[in-house]
């Protein structure tokens, strides 16, 4: 059903975040997010620092696929992500 829509902006969270991408707990959630991302002009990820410690099986996308990532990580924790060129912000 989502494949019939187009979105200007997608704002989403994630169950887990790793340097190689975002992850979800279920296959169904992963599939919905992949479709929504493909149909969205801009994509914003909002995640708190606890999500960076979670490991899950279902990978949604690369972090580079997001136009911006907002989190409460410290500047020190954010550094490795900024060095890789991700648009990640904590303020």
């Amino acid at each position: 059903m989502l494949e019939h829509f187009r979105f200007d902006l997608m704002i989403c969270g994630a169950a887990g975040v790793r340097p190689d991408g975002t992850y979800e707990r279920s296959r169904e959630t992963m599939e919905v997010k992949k479709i929504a991302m493909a149909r969205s002009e801009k994509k914003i990820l909002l995640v708190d620092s606890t999500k960076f410690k979670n490991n899950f099986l279902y990978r949604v996308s690369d972090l580079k696929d997001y136009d911006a990532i907002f989190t409460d990580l410290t500047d020190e924790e954010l550094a490795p992500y900024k060095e890789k060129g991700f648009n990640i912000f904590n303020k």
Side-chain angles (χ1 to χ4, degrees):
M1 179 94 153
L2 271 179
E3 56 271 350
H4 300 291
F5 292 89
R6 187 190 70 74
F7 306 102
D8 292 330
L9 176 65
M10 175 183 176
I11 300 174
C12 68
V17 178
R18 306 207 22 93
D20 68 325
T22 58
Y23 290 81
E24 288 301 331
R25 291 178 176 90
S26 73
R27 181 176 170 215
E28 294 80 13
T29 302
M30 174 201 66
E31 289 173 350
V32 167
K33 285 190 176 179
K34 281 185 176 241
I35 293 168
M37 287 189 78
R39 307 288 301 157
S40 299
E41 292 293 321
K42 297 280 185 185
K43 297 162 249 349
I44 301 207
L45 179 66
L46 300 175
V47 287
D48 66 72
S49 58
T50 64
K51 305 302 187 218
F52 289 81
K53 299 171 184 154
N54 294 339
N55 290 315
F56 293 99
L57 181 62
Y58 300 101
R59 187 170 180 276
V60 176
S61 68
D62 290 331
L63 291 180
K64 66 178 175 55
D65 295 335
Y66 294 95
D67 295 290
I69 303 166
F70 294 93
T71 185
D72 62 344
L73 288 175
T74 64
D75 288 338
E76 185 177 309
E77 293 168 320
L78 221 57
Y81 294 93
K82 286 194 171 200
E83 286 172 8
K84 291 185 178 195
F86 301 126
N87 292 323
I88 189 166
F89 307 94
N90 63 350
K91 297 181 181 162

